[in-house]
């Protein structure tokens, strides 16, 4: 991650983390466990804020809501993220 992390949410049934921080993007991470080692890979970057992203909430049907210092709330469809 290229900046300070401010928020993180986990979706264990899809092996995903979503992170937000001191940038204007959210990062979607896929993780797996192999031989007691956790492997993490950035699989998507979600752009839409114009400032720090500091709150995340998961809604039904794999919808994600993010809020940031730009005073906006964005909704994301995680079903479109591989």
């Amino acid at each position: 991650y290229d900046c300070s992390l401010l928020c993180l949410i986990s979706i264990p049934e899809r092996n995903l983390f979503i992170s937000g921080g001191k940038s204007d993007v959210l990062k979607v991470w896929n993780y797996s466990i192999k031989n007691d080692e956790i492997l993490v890979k950035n699989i998507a970057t979600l752009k839409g804020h114009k400032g720090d992203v500091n709150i995340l909430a998961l809604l039904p049907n794999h919808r994600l809501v993010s809020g940031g210092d730009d005073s906006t709330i964005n909704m994301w469809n995680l079903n479109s993220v591989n």
Side-chain angles (χ1 to χ4, degrees):
Y1 212 79
D2 297 338
C3 65
S4 296
L5 184 66
L6 297 175
C7 53
L8 181 75
I9 197 163
S10 172
I11 308 172
E13 65 273 13
R14 293 190 55 194
N15 289 356
L16 295 178
F17 292 116
I18 296 96
S19 61
K22 290 203 158 281
S23 69
D24 56 356
V25 299
L26 285 73
K27 300 255 184 174
V28 181
W29 307 87
N30 177 266
Y31 69 90
S32 60
I33 300 172
K34 188 174 184 177
N35 299 327
D36 292 329
E37 182 181 353
I38 299 173
L39 307 171
V40 180
K41 179 181 178 185
N42 178 225
I43 60 169
T45 299
L46 307 176
K47 299 178 181 179
H49 285 282
K50 292 182 173 83
D52 298 351
V53 178
N54 45 40
I55 191 164
L56 300 171
L58 192 60
L59 301 176
N61 297 325
H62 296 288
R63 304 261 183 213
L64 178 75
V65 176
S66 60
D69 285 349
D70 60 357
S71 300
T72 64
I73 296 172
N74 292 340
M75 185 176 293
W76 312 89
N77 181 355
L78 296 178
N79 289 323
S80 62
V81 174
N82 294 333

